Amino acid sequence: MNEFTRRTLLQGSTALAAAGALTGPALLEFAKAWAADSPWKPEAGAKLTVMRWKRFVPAEDEAFNAMVAAFQKATGVQMNVFSESFEDVQPKASVAANTGSGLDLVWGLHTLPQLFPTKVLKMNDVADYLGKKYGGWTDAAAKTCKQGNDWLGIPVATIGGYMTYRKSAVEKAGFKDFPKDFPSFLELCKALKKNNTPAGFALGHASGDANGWLHWMLWGHNAWTVDKDDKVIINSPETAKALEYVKALSETFIPGTASWNDGSNNKAYLAGELYCTANGISIYVAAKDDPTKKDLTADTYHALMPVGPIGKPTELQLCVPILAFNFTKYPNASKAFIAFMLEKENYDKWLTGARGYLTQTLNSYESSPVWTADPKNAYFAQASKRALPASGIGKVGEKAATAIADFIVVDMFANYCTGAKDAKSAMAEAERQLKRIYR
């Protein structure tokens, strides 16, 4: 764990200043003024332990650390923050929820607050305060965190996942523009493999990447885990078509995707082994920051996810909500920190620090300068508005969150694509698992 100090804040100020962020004394003065007027006054002697996902863009991490340090200095709240990989956030949050100790706040993935609806601190006042001040919340982000009229957490941001590709390889494959529909996308991937410039998408337990693209594939075929009344409908002709399509796609992939985690495609792309994948903007940012990869940076472009037979976008984007457990001794401090994170003086600059990796969930931030700072950033600005909630057409809640956390859709596709099960068996297994959840 790291205790943030004034020295930490000053160490991060140089990089943040380059990104146009509020830093150093200016950030601290804002934090002091905000704390004086805040509706939430931290408890005396408050100490918050915060777990977050491990950063993929260093400047985002620096911006977050500076924000934490300023909050600590202005309020006197002691902040202990540590990071975990995407794959480890949910299990460790579950341990804290079950034991009632160890963590005060968790900045996690997908519908994490829905996993513990009776263990979280309700955030209605924070959500109302921020929503009224900053133009309201995007639809999928709000649904991700709400149970009825109650807010179980706050949707801090969306990590948009879009196509990242080498333009030269796509043009060599015979495509002037990136495909916009599933048939053309499959033809592109076949041509990329033929040219030894393959695509690759995670088929392993990659919490962000695998869940993201495989739900997009499922929903794009008008196939769903459950219907609007939460009746399990995964075993369907539409799901069978989705399985066949994804298997055909997987046959064009770079070897090893069945064991990929969320960092695997980043590494393969930056190593020049991969020419098309779905990812946040972190691959492009890493290439830009590496002076040895100027050619790769110039050749890297982004595109929206192609649309399936359903005829409209069906994207599962990675919402990153924050929750506070209701067993925290410091509920006011917890709410104050969360509200502070999303204030304009912090958040707009934080988006700039994240360089397009994080996308706003509050509508007022659509005009953030990060989206026009580089034309290749622009697609990612749409992620939160184009997304469906993790439940698809079903009800958002603990059951849908459990299905995501248990990788049911991912395992169904992986089992079929790797030959571990035939299509009938893969669907039947997913159906059994879902029915255990949706009892």
Side-chain angles (χ1 to χ4, degrees):
M1 295 184 185
N2 297 316
E3 181 175 344
F4 289 88
T5 63
R6 185 170 184 274
R7 183 182 175 192
T8 312
L9 173 59
L10 294 176
Q11 284 175 337
S13 65
T14 303
L16 291 168
L22 189 65
T23 63
L27 175 57
L28 185 55
E29 288 307 309
F30 159 70
K32 287 178 178 178
W34 185 89
D37 294 336
S38 170
W40 302 279
K41 303 302 180 186
E43 297 80 359
K47 299 178 181 179
L48 296 179
T49 298
V50 185
M51 178 174 68
R52 63 157 290 176
W53 44 271
K54 194 168 290 184
R55 69 12 173 216
F56 282 78
V57 176
E60 180 275 313
D61 198 39
E62 292 173 0
F64 181 78
N65 292 352
M67 185 193 307
V68 170
F71 179 80
Q72 175 174 270
K73 196 77 173 177
T75 63
V77 176
Q78 183 177 321
M79 300 293 293
N80 294 316
V81 181
F82 68 99
S83 301
E84 295 289 349
S85 68
F86 275 6
E87 292 78 17
D88 289 335
V89 169
Q90 183 266 321
K92 294 192 175 185
S94 296
V95 171
N98 291 332
T99 61
S101 63
L103 296 170
D104 297 287
L105 292 94
V106 178
W107 189 22
L109 316 175
H110 289 304
T111 52
L112 183 71
Q114 303 282 355
L115 289 175
F116 325 112
T118 64
K119 302 289 182 71
V120 299
L121 185 66
K122 299 296 193 325
M123 290 286 164
N124 296 28
D125 49 350
V126 179
D128 289 346
Y129 168 83
L130 292 168
K132 289 175 182 176
K133 193 171 184 179
Y134 295 114
W137 300 92
T138 59
D139 184 63
K143 287 178 178 176
T144 292
C145 287
K146 291 187 74 174
Q147 184 184 72
N149 292 323
D150 287 329
W151 289 77
L152 305 181
I154 295 296
V156 177
T158 298
I159 299 175
Y162 285 115
M163 289 295 164
T164 298
Y165 66 96
R166 297 280 295 268
K167 187 176 182 181
S168 61
V170 167
E171 289 179 344
K172 186 178 178 182
F175 290 80
K176 182 180 178 182
D177 299 308
F178 199 89
K180 293 179 173 57
D181 57 55
F182 280 15
S184 300
F185 180 54
L186 177 57
E187 291 307 308
L188 168 64
C189 290
K190 288 179 178 178
L192 289 173
K193 180 185 179 183
K194 183 178 179 182
N195 291 340
N196 294 315
T197 56
F201 298 78
L203 284 166
H205 281 190
S207 297
D209 290 350
N211 270 311
W213 87 273
L214 288 169
H215 279 82
W216 157 58
M217 282 284 142
L218 183 73
W219 298 341
H221 282 88
N222 200 22
W224 310 90
T225 52
V226 296
D227 65 14
K228 64 181 178 61
D229 298 314
D230 277 356
K231 177 185 176 183
V232 175
I233 57 171
I234 189 72
N235 199 334
S236 69
E238 291 80 14
T239 300
K241 290 177 182 176
L243 286 169
E244 291 297 336
Y245 179 87
V246 172
K247 185 171 186 179
L249 265 184
S250 70
E251 290 169 355
T252 73
F253 290 174
I254 184 175
T257 58
S259 62
W260 275 9
N261 62 26
D262 280 295
S264 301
N265 61 340
N266 298 57
K267 293 175 184 176
Y269 191 98
L270 292 168
E273 301 165 356
L274 179 64
Y275 293 77
C276 176
T277 192
N279 204 69
I281 204 170
S282 54
I283 289 176
Y284 176 61
V285 169
K288 283 176 74 173
D289 289 348
D290 187 339
T292 70
K293 299 192 184 302
K294 290 182 179 179
D295 291 344
L296 177 63
T297 301
D299 197 29
T300 296
Y301 281 75
H302 302 113
L304 297 175
M305 309 298 266
V307 173
I310 195 171
K312 58 185 178 182
T314 53
E315 298 169 8
L316 172 60
Q317 300 292 359
L318 181 54
C319 187
V320 283
I322 194 166
L323 63 83
F325 286 115
N326 57 16
F327 50 77
T328 180
K329 296 178 181 177
Y330 311 109
N332 285 341
S334 298
K335 288 183 175 183
F337 176 66
I338 292 171
F340 182 72
M341 289 171 67
L342 279 88
E343 291 283 14
K344 182 175 178 61
E345 290 80 357
N346 279 322
Y347 194 79
D348 206 22
K349 303 301 183 181
W350 188 13
L351 289 181
T352 300
R355 300 170 69 185
Y357 188 65
L358 298 179
T359 301
Q360 68 282 336
T361 48
L362 285 162
N363 292 315
S364 287
Y365 296 119
E366 286 180 5
S367 58
S368 173
V370 69
W371 306 126
T372 52
D374 182 334
K376 293 181 181 180
N377 296 358
Y379 286 123
F380 293 90
Q382 303 181 47
S384 191
K385 283 204 164 180
R386 285 174 62 94
L388 296 177
S391 54
I393 58 173
K395 298 175 181 176
V396 177
E398 187 175 1
K399 293 175 181 179
T402 300
I404 286 277
D406 288 353
F407 293 99
I408 291 175
V409 167
V410 173
D411 286 345
M412 178 185 72
F413 279 105
N415 283 332
Y416 183 55
C417 291
T418 61
K421 295 181 185 294
D422 60 25
K424 207 169 183 181
S425 299
M427 286 191 293
E429 176 64 17
E431 183 179 40
R432 283 193 295 272
Q433 291 175 321
L434 287 165
K435 284 184 174 179
R436 282 197 294 270
I437 295 171
Y438 286 90
R439 288 183 291 191

Short mmCIF file of all heavy atoms in Angstrom, two decimals, residues 389-412:
data_model
loop_
_atom_site.label_atom_id
_atom_site.label_comp_id
_atom_site.label_asym_id
_atom_site.label_seq_id
_atom_site.Cartn_x
_atom_site.Cartn_y
_atom_site.Cartn_z
N PRO A 389 -25.78 -2.34 -21.09
CA PRO A 389 -25.35 -2.81 -19.77
C PRO A 389 -24.91 -4.26 -19.84
O PRO A 389 -25.24 -4.99 -20.79
CB PRO A 389 -26.60 -2.64 -18.91
CG PRO A 389 -27.73 -2.64 -19.86
CD PRO A 389 -27.21 -2.04 -21.13
N ALA A 390 -24.18 -4.72 -18.85
CA ALA A 390 -23.63 -6.08 -18.87
C ALA A 390 -24.71 -7.15 -18.89
O ALA A 390 -24.44 -8.31 -19.25
CB ALA A 390 -22.72 -6.28 -17.66
N SER A 391 -25.92 -6.79 -18.55
CA SER A 391 -27.04 -7.74 -18.55
C SER A 391 -27.65 -7.91 -19.93
O SER A 391 -28.55 -8.74 -20.12
CB SER A 391 -28.12 -7.26 -17.58
OG SER A 391 -28.49 -5.92 -17.89
N GLY A 392 -27.19 -7.14 -20.92
CA GLY A 392 -27.80 -7.21 -22.25
C GLY A 392 -29.21 -6.66 -22.21
O GLY A 392 -29.44 -5.52 -21.82
N ILE A 393 -30.20 -7.50 -22.60
CA ILE A 393 -31.60 -7.07 -22.55
C ILE A 393 -32.25 -7.51 -21.25
O ILE A 393 -33.43 -7.23 -21.00
CB ILE A 393 -32.41 -7.63 -23.75
CG1 ILE A 393 -32.36 -9.17 -23.77
CG2 ILE A 393 -31.90 -7.03 -25.05
CD1 ILE A 393 -33.28 -9.78 -24.82
N GLY A 394 -31.50 -8.19 -20.39
CA GLY A 394 -32.04 -8.65 -19.11
C GLY A 394 -31.96 -7.57 -18.05
O GLY A 394 -31.62 -6.41 -18.31
N LYS A 395 -32.30 -7.97 -16.83
CA LYS A 395 -32.31 -7.04 -15.72
C LYS A 395 -30.91 -6.90 -15.13
O LYS A 395 -30.24 -7.90 -14.88
CB LYS A 395 -33.29 -7.51 -14.65
CG LYS A 395 -34.73 -7.59 -15.13
CD LYS A 395 -35.65 -8.18 -14.07
CE LYS A 395 -37.08 -8.29 -14.57
NZ LYS A 395 -37.97 -8.95 -13.58
N VAL A 396 -30.51 -5.66 -14.92
CA VAL A 396 -29.22 -5.42 -14.27
C VAL A 396 -29.36 -5.79 -12.80
O VAL A 396 -30.35 -5.46 -12.16
CB VAL A 396 -28.81 -3.94 -14.41
CG1 VAL A 396 -27.51 -3.68 -13.68
CG2 VAL A 396 -28.69 -3.56 -15.87
N GLY A 397 -28.37 -6.50 -12.29
CA GLY A 397 -28.44 -6.88 -10.89
C GLY A 397 -27.37 -7.90 -10.54
O GLY A 397 -26.45 -8.17 -11.32
N GLU A 398 -27.53 -8.49 -9.37
CA GLU A 398 -26.54 -9.42 -8.85
C GLU A 398 -26.37 -10.64 -9.75
O GLU A 398 -25.26 -11.15 -9.94
CB GLU A 398 -26.94 -9.86 -7.44
CG GLU A 398 -25.90 -10.69 -6.72
CD GLU A 398 -26.29 -11.00 -5.29
OE1 GLU A 398 -27.38 -10.56 -4.85
OE2 GLU A 398 -25.50 -11.67 -4.61
N LYS A 399 -27.45 -11.11 -10.35
CA LYS A 399 -27.38 -12.32 -11.18
C LYS A 399 -26.58 -12.06 -12.46
O LYS A 399 -25.71 -12.87 -12.84
CB LYS A 399 -28.79 -12.81 -11.50
CG LYS A 399 -29.54 -13.31 -10.28
CD LYS A 399 -30.99 -13.66 -10.59
CE LYS A 399 -31.71 -14.14 -9.33
NZ LYS A 399 -33.13 -14.48 -9.61
N ALA A 400 -26.87 -10.94 -13.11
CA ALA A 400 -26.11 -10.60 -14.32
C ALA A 400 -24.65 -10.35 -14.00
O ALA A 400 -23.75 -10.76 -14.77
CB ALA A 400 -26.72 -9.35 -14.98
N ALA A 401 -24.39 -9.72 -12.87
CA ALA A 401 -23.00 -9.48 -12.46
C ALA A 401 -22.27 -10.78 -12.20
O ALA A 401 -21.09 -10.93 -12.54
CB ALA A 401 -22.98 -8.61 -11.21
N THR A 402 -22.96 -11.75 -11.61
CA THR A 402 -22.35 -13.06 -11.34
C THR A 402 -22.02 -13.78 -12.64
O THR A 402 -20.96 -14.41 -12.77
CB THR A 402 -23.29 -13.91 -10.47
OG1 THR A 402 -23.54 -13.24 -9.24
CG2 THR A 402 -22.68 -15.28 -10.18
N ALA A 403 -22.92 -13.70 -13.61
CA ALA A 403 -22.68 -14.36 -14.90
C ALA A 403 -21.44 -13.81 -15.59
O ALA A 403 -20.66 -14.56 -16.20
CB ALA A 403 -23.90 -14.21 -15.80
N ILE A 404 -21.23 -12.49 -15.49
CA ILE A 404 -20.03 -11.87 -16.06
C ILE A 404 -18.80 -12.31 -15.28
O ILE A 404 -17.78 -12.71 -15.86
CB ILE A 404 -20.15 -10.33 -16.00
CG1 ILE A 404 -21.13 -9.82 -17.05
CG2 ILE A 404 -18.79 -9.66 -16.20
CD1 ILE A 404 -20.57 -9.66 -18.44
N ALA A 405 -18.89 -12.25 -13.96
CA ALA A 405 -17.74 -12.60 -13.12
C ALA A 405 -17.33 -14.05 -13.29
O ALA A 405 -16.15 -14.39 -13.15
CB ALA A 405 -18.06 -12.31 -11.65
N ASP A 406 -18.29 -14.93 -13.60
CA ASP A 406 -18.01 -16.36 -13.77
C ASP A 406 -17.60 -16.74 -15.18
O ASP A 406 -17.41 -17.93 -15.47
CB ASP A 406 -19.24 -17.18 -13.35
CG ASP A 406 -19.46 -17.18 -11.84
OD1 ASP A 406 -18.59 -16.66 -11.11
OD2 ASP A 406 -20.51 -17.68 -11.40
N PHE A 407 -17.50 -15.77 -16.09
CA PHE A 407 -17.04 -15.99 -17.47
C PHE A 407 -17.90 -17.04 -18.22
O PHE A 407 -17.39 -17.81 -19.02
CB PHE A 407 -15.57 -16.46 -17.48
CG PHE A 407 -14.60 -15.41 -17.02
CD1 PHE A 407 -14.11 -15.43 -15.72
CD2 PHE A 407 -14.18 -14.41 -17.87
CE1 PHE A 407 -13.21 -14.47 -15.28
CE2 PHE A 407 -13.27 -13.45 -17.45
CZ PHE A 407 -12.79 -13.47 -16.15
N ILE A 408 -19.18 -17.04 -17.98
CA ILE A 408 -20.03 -18.07 -18.60
C ILE A 408 -20.06 -17.95 -20.12
O ILE A 408 -19.90 -18.94 -20.83
CB ILE A 408 -21.46 -18.01 -18.01
CG1 ILE A 408 -21.41 -18.49 -16.54
CG2 ILE A 408 -22.43 -18.87 -18.82
CD1 ILE A 408 -22.73 -18.36 -15.81
N VAL A 409 -20.25 -16.73 -20.62
CA VAL A 409 -20.26 -16.53 -22.08
C VAL A 409 -18.88 -16.78 -22.67
O VAL A 409 -18.74 -17.43 -23.72
CB VAL A 409 -20.76 -15.11 -22.41
CG1 VAL A 409 -20.48 -14.76 -23.88
CG2 VAL A 409 -22.25 -14.99 -22.13
N VAL A 410 -17.85 -16.29 -22.01
CA VAL A 410 -16.48 -16.51 -22.50
C VAL A 410 -16.17 -18.00 -22.59
O VAL A 410 -15.65 -18.47 -23.61
CB VAL A 410 -15.47 -15.81 -21.56
CG1 VAL A 410 -14.03 -16.17 -21.96
CG2 VAL A 410 -15.65 -14.30 -21.61
N ASP A 411 -16.47 -18.75 -21.56
CA ASP A 411 -16.16 -20.18 -21.56
C ASP A 411 -16.96 -20.94 -22.61
O ASP A 411 -16.46 -21.90 -23.19
CB ASP A 411 -16.42 -20.77 -20.17
CG ASP A 411 -15.37 -20.37 -19.16
OD1 ASP A 411 -14.30 -19.87 -19.57
OD2 ASP A 411 -15.62 -20.53 -17.95
N MET A 412 -18.19 -20.51 -22.85
CA MET A 412 -18.99 -21.17 -23.89
C MET A 412 -18.31 -21.04 -25.25
O MET A 412 -18.14 -22.04 -25.97
CB MET A 412 -20.39 -20.55 -23.94
CG MET A 412 -21.28 -21.14 -25.04
SD MET A 412 -22.88 -20.30 -25.21
CE MET A 412 -22.37 -18.74 -25.95
#
